[in-house]
Amino acid sequence: MRKLISVICAFLCLAAFIPRAAAGEGGDYHTADGYGYTLLDDGTALVTMYPVVSRTVTIPDVLDGIPVTAVGPAAFDNDQEKETIRHIVIADGVLRIGRNAFDGFSKLTYVTLPDSVTEIGEGAFRSCRGLKSVRLPAGLKAIGAEAFDACGLTSVVFPDGLETI
């Protein structure tokens, strides 16, 4: 019995080191400039991890020469990120923000969304209590359920082309 418990504990410890991309979309996991990403079927990148080195997260438009078109589901899902990050800048060319991508960033106060974003996933900015206003991109077509639930929003500008909330 002790041996079984030891094997299970060892497996769980090893599993903690597997990149979060394994649960995301796409194929092989890659890194560039501290970012983790996977390649999507269309040859573009889905960002799955960001190096927390400042209070501002910048999602780039290109990693290793590959266009970045999406932020992965729960890509930023650790307590250090949630307590550190105040500002998120997403580069033009990113089309999708995944489910729960920035969920629980209680100190987030500002988000820059480019007009290229067409979809904001379910719970993407849920519980971002410091977020008071957001300008939704002109190209936005869909906002998932609870995308901005439990935020401190007092001002939201919806684009004319929005089709689904």
Side-chain angles (χ1 to χ4, degrees):
M1 183 63 156
R2 285 183 190 213
K3 191 171 190 172
L4 177 61
I5 292 172
S6 295
V7 169
I8 291 171
C9 287
F11 175 75
L12 292 174
C13 288
L14 287 173
F17 292 102
I18 296 173
R20 286 180 266 181
E25 302 174 32
D28 296 333
Y29 180 76
H30 302 273
T31 60
D33 301 323
Y35 292 87
Y37 68 95
T38 57
L39 291 178
L40 298 173
D41 292 339
D42 64 2
T44 62
L46 172 112
V47 173
T48 58
M49 188 178 74
Y50 174 80
V52 178
V53 293
S54 74
R55 292 180 174 202
T56 299
V57 169
T58 301
I59 304 297
D61 59 343
V62 174
L63 286 171
D64 280 345
I66 300 165
V68 173
T69 59
V71 177
F76 299 85
D77 191 24
N78 79 47
D79 292 337
Q80 180 184 1
E81 293 165 345
K82 291 180 179 189
E83 291 301 316
T84 302
I85 296 170
R86 307 287 193 274
H87 184 193
I88 296 170
V89 178
I90 299 177
D92 193 37
V94 173
L95 304 173
R96 294 181 296 125
I97 299 171
R99 177 182 37 81
N100 301 328
F102 303 102
D103 182 11
F105 281 56
S106 60
K107 298 190 177 172
L108 181 66
T109 58
Y110 192 77
V111 177
T112 302
L113 300 171
D115 285 337
S116 60
V117 171
T118 60
E119 178 184 339
I120 297 175
E122 177 181 333
F125 295 96
R126 180 183 16 239
S127 298
C128 294
R129 289 172 175 42
L131 192 59
K132 302 296 181 207
S133 69
V134 65
R135 186 200 64 82
L136 297 173
L140 188 64
K141 300 291 181 205
I143 300 174
E146 300 180 354
F148 293 95
D149 185 46
C151 286
L153 291 175
T154 57
S155 172
V156 179
V157 177
F158 294 97
D160 291 336
L162 186 61
E163 297 170 0
T164 306
I165 296 181

